[in-house]
C-alpha cells in the first residue's frame, strides 16, 4: 500500500479560507502536455470531430428527462444533466458538479443533446463542486444563474476567479484536503482528490490552477466519487485506498480519440471500467459523452464500448448506471450493504 493510502483523512479546513498558492501546478502533471508538433499532427490528420456518417448517430443518443427523485436526508440519488454535470443528492444536500447549462461553450460546437434538467426544476442548490477550469467544466454563464451566496468548492488557484464574479462563499482546496457542509442529518464531507489532467483557460494561465475530482461522504457513510476529467493512471487506486467503500463512481468515457493525443488526459471506456475496479466502487455512472462532440469517436461508440467492457469485467449489469441524459438513479439499501 502506498504512502498516500496509509495517511489518515485530513481534518476539514475552514470554509472560505483565504489562501496563497504557487504560481504554477505544472509539477503535478503526470504526462507532458502536447506541443506544437502534436497539434500540427492533429490538424494534418483531420481527426478533430466524428465523420459525417458517424454524426447521424446523434439522432439515437439517449435522452429521457424525468422528474428529480424524492429524497430525504438518508437518500443518495444522482441525475445526469449531461457531460460532467450531475445533480447529486446526498446527506440531505443538493450539489451540482461542473454545471454547464449553456447551449454552447467557447471553441466547441453547440451541444448535440438538450440539458437533462431544466434550470427552473432544480431545487435550492446547497453547493457546487468544480473539477478544473476548462470551459466545458467551468461555465461562467451557468454559474451566474446561481445566488452569489451559493457555496463554491474549487481547486486551488480558482478562488479569485469566483470572487471577481461576486461569489461570497468560495473555498479552494489542494489535493487530499477537505471541507464539511452542514446537512439535516449531520455534516457532509467534500474531499478534493487528484486526477490525471491539466488546466488552462487563457493563453497565459496553463496549469496556474489545480485539477482533480471530488469524494462526497454522507453522515451515514455513503460515498460518491466524481472524477471530473482524467486519463487513466495510478491515482484511481490511491483514491480507492484512501476512501474505501465508494458507492457510486461517476467516470468519464468520452472524448478519447485519437488516443495518441487524448490518452493521457481522458479515459476511454475500457480504462474507465478499470478505474472503477481500482477505486473499489460498486456502481459506475458513465459521463463526459453524448453532449459536446470534443473528439473523433462516433457519438454512440462510448456507450457500446463501456457496456462491453463492463460485461467483460464480470460486473453486475445493474451496477452500470449508463443513464440517458436527464435520467436519475437512487442508491438502494441493498446496494449499500452488499460488498463490491
Amino acid at each position: 500500500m502506498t504512502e498516500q493510502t496509509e495517511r489518515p483523512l485530513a481534518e476539514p479546513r475552514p470554509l472560505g479560507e483565504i489562501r496563497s498558492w504557487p504560481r504554477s501546478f505544472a509539477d503535478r502533471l503526470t504526462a507532458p502536455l502536447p506541443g506544437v508538433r502534436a497539434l500540427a499532427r492533429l490538424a494534418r490528420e483531420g481527426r478533430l470531430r466524428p465523420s459525417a456518417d458517424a454524426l447521424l448517430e446523434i439522432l439515437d443518443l439517449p435522452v429521457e428527462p424525468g422528474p428529480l427523485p424524492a429524497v430525504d436526508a438518508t437518500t443518495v440519488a444522482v441525475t445526469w444533466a449531461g457531460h460532467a454535470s450531475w445533480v447529486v443528492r446526498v446527506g440531505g444536500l443538493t450539489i451540482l458538479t461542473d454545471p454547464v447549462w449553456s447551449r454552447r461553450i467557447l471553441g466547441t460546437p453547440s451541444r448535440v443533446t438538450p440539458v437533462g434538467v431544466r434550470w427552473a426544476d432544480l431545487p435550492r442548490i446547497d453547493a457546487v463542486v468544480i473539477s478544473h477550469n476548462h470551459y466545458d467544466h467551468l461555465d461562467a454563464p451557468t454559474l451566474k444563474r446561481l445566488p452569489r451566496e451559493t457555496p463554491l468548492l474549487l481547486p486551488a488557484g480558482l478562488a479569485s476567479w469566483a470572487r471577481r464574479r461576486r461569489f461570497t462563499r468560495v473555498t479552494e482546496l489542494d489535493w487530499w484536503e477537505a471541507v464539511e457542509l452542514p446537512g439535516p442529518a449531520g455534516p457532509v464531507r467534500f474531499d478534493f482528490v487528484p486526477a490525471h489532467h491539466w488546466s488552462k483557460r487563457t493563453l497565459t494561465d496553463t496549469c496556474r490552477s489545480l485539477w482533480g475530482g471530488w469524494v462526497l461522504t454522507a453522515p451515514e457513510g455513503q460515498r460518491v466519487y466524481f472524477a471530473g476529467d482524467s486519463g487513466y493512471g495510478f491515482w484511481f487506486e490511491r483514491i480507492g485506498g484512501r476512501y474505501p467503500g465508494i458507492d457510486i463512481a461517476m467516470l468519464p468515457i468520452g472524448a478519447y480519440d485519437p488516443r495518441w493525443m487524448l490518452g493521457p488526459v481522458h479515459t476511454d471506456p475500457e480504462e474507465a471500467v478499470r478505474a472503477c475496479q481500482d477505486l473499489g466502487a460498486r456502481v459506475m455512472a458513465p459521463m463526459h459523452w453524448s453532449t459536446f462532440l470534443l473528439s473523433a469517436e462516433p457519438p454512440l461508440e462510448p456507450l457500446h464500448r463501456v457496456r462491453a467492457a463492463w460485461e467483460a469485467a464480470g460486473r453486475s449489469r445493474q451496477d452500470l448506471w449508463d443513464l440517458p441524459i436527464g435520467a436519475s438513479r437512487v442508491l438502494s439499501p441493498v446496494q449499500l450493504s452488499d460488498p463490491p
Side-chain angles (χ1 to χ4, degrees):
M1 186 174 290
T2 65
E3 180 184 357
Q4 281 83 356
T5 60
E6 290 172 350
R7 295 177 184 169
L9 297 185
E11 287 296 317
R13 298 191 69 93
L15 290 164
E17 185 179 11
I18 304 296
R19 306 180 67 178
S20 59
W21 302 103
R23 181 171 175 80
S24 172
F25 292 95
D27 61 323
R28 308 289 186 94
L29 292 170
T30 49
L33 295 177
V36 174
R37 288 185 180 180
L39 296 175
R41 176 183 171 184
L42 187 66
R44 185 171 63 251
E45 293 179 354
R47 299 187 64 190
L48 299 172
R49 295 287 182 268
S51 68
D53 289 343
L55 288 175
L56 297 175
E57 295 182 1
I58 291 173
L59 299 174
D60 296 320
L61 290 173
V63 179
E64 297 178 14
L68 295 175
V71 298
D72 58 29
T74 66
T75 304
V76 176
V78 297
T79 303
W80 190 33
H83 203 52
S85 303
W86 294 85
V87 184
V88 180
R89 325 285 287 284
V90 58
L93 301 183
T94 298
I95 300 133
L96 296 183
T97 70
D98 289 0
V100 179
W101 261 248
S102 297
R103 181 171 174 269
R104 186 167 186 169
I105 55 176
L106 185 66
T108 301
S110 299
R111 65 195 306 146
V112 296
T113 47
V115 181
V117 183
R118 294 192 315 161
W119 190 263
D121 293 337
L122 290 171
R124 183 177 72 89
I125 303 304
D126 298 296
V128 172
V129 298
I130 298 294
S131 64
H132 65 295
N133 72 352
H134 288 160
Y135 282 88
D136 58 321
H137 293 260
L138 178 62
D139 184 52
T142 298
L143 292 180
K144 287 179 180 178
R145 297 187 183 196
L146 293 164
R148 293 305 185 267
E149 66 272 13
T150 304
L152 300 187
L153 306 183
L154 307 172
L158 278 180
S160 60
W161 183 94
R163 292 188 180 113
R164 286 197 301 271
R165 287 154 181 82
R166 302 195 303 278
F167 284 95
T168 59
R169 302 179 65 190
V170 178
T171 303
E172 54 185 347
L173 296 178
D174 201 344
W175 290 346
W176 308 120
E177 293 183 342
V179 293
E180 290 182 341
L181 290 178
V188 176
R189 181 180 170 108
F190 297 74
D191 286 76
F192 188 55
V193 296
H196 299 276
H197 205 61
W198 64 300
S199 69
K200 182 181 180 69
R201 200 166 176 87
T202 72
L203 293 176
T204 60
D205 70 348
T206 302
C207 296
R208 295 286 181 85
S209 61
L210 200 48
W211 52 91
W214 293 89
V215 176
L216 282 53
T217 305
E220 295 188 349
Q222 304 103 313
R223 277 193 166 137
V224 177
Y225 167 65
F226 169 67
D229 243 354
S230 184
Y232 179 75
F234 56 83
W235 284 131
F236 292 110
E237 185 175 6
R238 295 185 184 182
I239 292 166
R242 185 173 285 205
Y243 305 94
I246 293 173
D247 295 295
I248 306 170
M250 297 178 285
L251 289 160
I253 65 167
Y256 52 78
D257 187 17
R259 294 309 289 150
W260 65 262
M261 174 78 168
L262 296 171
V265 293
H266 287 164
T267 52
D268 65 21
E270 293 78 14
E271 290 170 335
V273 171
R274 197 181 317 157
C276 186
Q277 305 272 64
D278 293 348
L279 290 160
R282 163 163 296 285
V283 168
M284 175 178 165
M287 64 173 183
H288 206 269
W289 75 285
S290 156
T291 308
F292 298 105
L293 300 183
L294 303 176
S295 57
E297 73 270 5
L300 276 171
E301 183 180 278
L303 179 63
H304 298 322
R305 285 177 56 174
V306 79
R307 287 174 173 173
W310 192 258
E311 182 179 3
R315 301 295 297 267
S316 170
R317 182 63 181 88
Q318 68 179 2
D319 292 335
L320 179 64
W321 291 5
D322 48 345
L323 301 181
I325 290 176
S328 303
R329 291 291 289 272
V330 178
L331 197 69
S332 71
V334 170
Q335 288 169 309
L336 284 171
S337 60
D338 287 349

